[in-house]
Amino acid sequence: MFTETVIDLIRHGEPVGGQKLRGAQDDPLSELGWQQMRESINNPQPWTKLVSSPLSRCHAFANELSQNLSLEVSVKPDFREIHFGEWEGLKIKDLMKQEPQALRNYWQDPDNHAPDGSERMSDFIFRIHTAWDQLIVDNQGEHTLLVCHGGVIRAILMRVLGMPKENLWNFDVPYANVSRLVYHNFPDGGQTAQLKFHQATF
């Protein structure tokens, strides 16, 4: 029997403190961040499952949505953002002034130029791809919303579109941006995937 698996992704809105390298740092959503996410979900979809990163900038909104839609939230720790180590909480514009070469090296070759104490990019990508593959299996035939992070969404799209990891930074994922991925499941066990959209709201 032919079925479709639909996974919608939404990035969290702006956290308190604005734009920073924020991976493990667990800042809550700002008032603007709440507004951004509510506007992106202004047209709710027929979701059957709701999944979230454990970090509060995702989980708090997922909890609000779960109450509005009467859906239980499934928290998946492996969908947390990459850890930036000693760069956690720093603004990119400040790093560009203070350590421009270090930042450029990280963007070009993150595994070999990662900040001290950070998660290696290859480990992060493996973590996300493993979690994503399991999510597809566990949610076959469902319409699922995953509330997560910019880096997580980039890694997922990289997986689905077959992009090399060097191109991870080649597309933007603004606050509260939404993406839809559809898997076509064929009776013989085959499967194809499509990116339907990557945009500001549903």
Side-chain angles (χ1 to χ4, degrees):
M1 179 179 176
F2 176 83
T3 63
E4 285 189 342
T5 302
V6 182
I7 309 288
D8 291 335
L9 312 174
I10 181 169
R11 186 189 178 192
H12 61 78
E14 179 198 72
V16 171
Q19 187 78 47
K20 296 179 180 179
L21 286 172
R22 182 188 287 102
Q25 184 170 314
D26 199 11
D27 293 334
L29 290 170
S30 67
E31 288 187 18
L32 175 59
W34 280 102
Q35 178 184 339
Q36 290 167 332
M37 298 195 79
R38 287 166 178 156
E39 288 177 353
S40 287
I41 305 289
N42 191 43
N43 181 25
Q45 306 298 298
W47 294 302
T48 57
K49 296 285 185 71
L50 182 56
V51 180
S52 177
S53 157
L55 296 175
S56 63
R57 56 191 182 271
C58 298
H59 191 225
F61 179 77
N63 276 339
E64 178 184 89
L65 196 59
S66 75
Q67 295 173 16
N68 294 340
L69 301 178
S70 299
L71 284 177
E72 183 179 346
V73 182
S74 177
V75 177
K76 301 293 185 183
D78 282 343
F79 285 118
R80 67 191 182 278
E81 185 61 287
I82 190 171
H83 195 306
F84 289 106
E86 67 179 10
W87 286 359
E88 280 282 330
L90 300 181
K91 294 181 182 294
I92 293 179
K93 64 180 181 179
D94 292 337
L95 270 173
M96 284 181 173
K97 293 177 183 177
Q98 299 163 11
E99 301 183 67
Q101 191 60 50
L103 187 59
R104 187 179 300 113
N105 290 342
Y106 178 69
W107 279 338
Q108 293 175 348
D109 186 3
D111 269 350
N112 291 316
H113 298 281
D116 288 345
S118 66
E119 182 178 14
R120 285 173 59 85
M121 181 62 72
S122 57
D123 293 338
F124 168 71
I125 290 172
F126 179 79
R127 166 165 64 82
I128 299 303
H129 288 181
T130 301
W132 177 254
D133 291 348
Q134 189 61 52
L135 187 74
I136 296 303
V137 171
D138 293 343
N139 290 266
Q140 185 165 335
E142 302 284 354
H143 188 169
T144 301
L145 176 66
L146 172 59
V147 186
C148 56
H149 308 270
V152 173
I153 292 171
R154 287 184 175 94
I156 289 170
L157 294 183
M158 177 187 130
R159 177 69 158 179
V160 174
L161 300 176
M163 296 167 53
K165 66 178 181 180
E166 292 76 18
N167 292 355
L168 189 71
W169 309 110
N170 286 15
F171 53 89
D172 191 25
V173 185
Y175 286 137
N177 191 81
V178 297
S179 309
R180 173 165 294 169
L181 296 157
V182 177
Y183 281 74
H184 307 286
N185 309 302
F186 297 96
D188 63 0
Q191 191 178 65
T192 61
Q194 287 183 316
L195 172 64
K196 289 293 188 181
F197 56 73
H198 180 72
Q199 60 195 35
T201 64
F202 285 110

